Amino acid sequence: APKLSLAVESSLRPTQGMVDLAGWNFSSQGNLELGGVWRYRSGLSERPWEDWAKSESLKIPDYGLIDVPAGAHQTGSYMLQVNRGQSSIRNLMLYVYHVVGSHRLRLCSLVSRSCQLMGGSGVVSESIGTAVWHGSETKVLIPDALLDEPSFLIVIDSSSFLRTKGFTSAPKIGLA
């Protein structure tokens, strides 16, 4: 299984649950679309810094719903490790669009091994099933303290009774 790492590999699309911001210039290139291979854990991840390595790879399309693995629980956590790279980055915003089912967005420190709840919609629960279309955009400013770390995790927890769930378009990261 892949391991969380502070090592930086050059990739402008998420691969194996990681994306490297070092090769992207937000001022000249705009927002970075985060469609690609994330990590997925069936059920809710309470300790994503541990569950990331034990989870499976799952393709997040640029557009269209995600077909979760057969036998997956009604809840799941989508996880992406963001490697900051060498440069100092400030005023980054994370955009999450049109989620099917309820969701919550957390940003997690790999240094302090803690997460901050940043937003969401509906009730994310192991026992309350939802099959609701939440057509809103969730956008959050990524705290500077996380941008000072070499890497951090984006965690999107989702609950839905539908087999296809997730986003209708991939999350994006860009300047605020």
Side-chain angles (χ1 to χ4, degrees), residues 92-107:
L92 280 187
M93 186 80 71
L94 178 64
Y95 303 90
V96 179
Y97 302 96
H98 309 290
V99 175
V100 173
S102 297
H103 73 284
R104 69 179 178 194
L105 170 62
R106 297 181 288 156
L107 296 176

Side-chain angles (χ1 to χ4, degrees), residues 76-136:
S77 295
Y78 304 89
M79 298 174 275
L80 181 67
Q81 178 181 332
V82 178
N83 297 323
R84 176 179 52 84
Q86 304 303 316
S87 61
S88 176
I89 303 174
R90 289 288 182 262
N91 298 314
L92 280 187
M93 186 80 71
L94 178 64
Y95 303 90
V96 179
Y97 302 96
H98 309 290
V99 175
V100 173
S102 297
H103 73 284
R104 69 179 178 194
L105 170 62
R106 297 181 288 156
L107 296 176
C108 304
S109 166
L110 297 176
V111 174
S112 67
R113 298 170 76 91
S114 63
C115 293
Q116 290 178 275
L117 179 62
M118 304 302 290
S121 180
V123 177
V124 177
S125 169
E126 299 277 355
S127 58
I128 300 173
T130 53
V132 214
W133 180 270
H134 293 286
S136 63

Side-chain angles (χ1 to χ4, degrees), residues 32-97:
L32 176 62
E33 205 156 299
L34 298 177
V37 180
W38 286 44
R39 306 295 292 168
Y40 176 80
R41 178 190 185 277
S42 187
L44 298 177
S45 175
E46 296 306 322
R47 300 174 69 82
W49 48 88
E50 293 174 3
D51 293 336
W52 184 93
K54 297 182 274 185
S55 59
E56 58 187 291
S57 295
L58 182 67
K59 173 84 168 95
I60 305 292
D62 289 340
Y63 299 99
L65 295 175
I66 302 160
D67 191 21
V68 297
H73 200 268
Q74 75 181 28
T75 58
S77 295
Y78 304 89
M79 298 174 275
L80 181 67
Q81 178 181 332
V82 178
N83 297 323
R84 176 179 52 84
Q86 304 303 316
S87 61
S88 176
I89 303 174
R90 289 288 182 262
N91 298 314
L92 280 187
M93 186 80 71
L94 178 64
Y95 303 90
V96 179
Y97 302 96

Side-chain angles (χ1 to χ4, degrees), residues 152-171:
F152 62 92
L153 288 176
I154 297 170
V155 180
I156 301 172
D157 301 309
S158 175
S159 67
S160 171
F161 280 119
L162 302 175
R163 262 266 296 129
T164 53
K165 57 180 107 174
F167 335 100
T168 56
S169 62

